């Protein structure tokens, strides 16, 4: 997909301009891919929490079958992975801000 985006762009002029425009197109393609593959993590988090809460309410009133218990456990695992991913993303963004500002945060 990225190679197709790179090849579909045809610019003429100064090489720095061509590279800048191609990188802009590449950035848009990567953002689209990221949204397609990972989606919106905050929405996924809300959905998982709602599904887990629904299973919790059901377990309090009726009880859960073994399949539902396994589903609840799998949803907790998915939520844990998603929360770790969100945390890593926040950490990476903070590091990039420090690098841009020239701060090593070592004091």
């Amino acid at each position: 997909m990225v190679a197709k985006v790179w090849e579909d762009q045809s610019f003429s002029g100064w090489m720095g301009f061509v590279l800048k425009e191609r990188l802009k197109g590449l950035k848009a393609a990567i953002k689209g891919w990221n949204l397609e593959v990972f989606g919106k993590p905050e929405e996924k988090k809300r959905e998982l929490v709602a599904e887990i809460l629904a299973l919790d309410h059901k377990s309090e009133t009726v009880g859960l079958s073994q399949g539902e218990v396994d589903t609840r456990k799998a949803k907790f695992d998915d939520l844990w992975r998603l929360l770790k991913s969100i945390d890593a993303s926040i950490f990476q963004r903070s590091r990039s801000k420090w690098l841009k500002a020239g701060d090593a945060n070592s004091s």
Side-chain angles (χ1 to χ4, degrees):
M1 178 179 137
V2 173
K4 182 178 180 341
V5 170
W6 192 266
E7 291 170 359
D8 287 347
Q9 297 177 350
S10 60
F11 300 101
S12 60
W14 181 58
M15 194 60 182
F17 170 76
V18 171
L19 180 63
K20 180 185 81 146
E21 292 301 315
R22 283 189 167 191
L23 288 175
K24 275 201 245 178
L26 182 63
K27 181 180 179 181
I30 290 173
K31 280 188 173 189
W33 169 82
N34 186 36
L35 194 61
E36 181 181 309
V37 172
F38 296 107
K40 298 179 180 176
E42 291 299 324
E43 285 182 21
K44 283 184 180 181
K45 182 175 101 173
R46 269 187 253 119
E47 289 173 6
L48 283 171
V49 168
E51 291 169 359
I52 290 169
L53 284 175
L55 287 171
D56 284 345
H57 289 303
K58 185 177 179 183
S59 71
E60 290 174 359
T61 56
V62 180
L64 297 177
S65 67
Q66 186 58 39
E68 290 171 329
V69 170
D70 294 339
T71 301
R72 185 176 176 276
K73 184 176 180 181
K75 289 191 184 301
F76 262 111
D77 291 341
D78 292 343
L79 181 62
W80 180 251
R81 257 185 260 115
L82 182 64
L83 290 174
K84 285 174 54 177
S85 170
I86 291 171
D87 189 41
S89 172
I90 291 170
F91 180 74
Q92 288 172 354
R93 272 188 265 144
S94 71
R95 283 289 182 178
S96 70
K97 287 179 184 177
W98 291 338
L99 289 173
K100 286 179 185 175
D103 183 12
N105 198 25
S106 59
S107 61

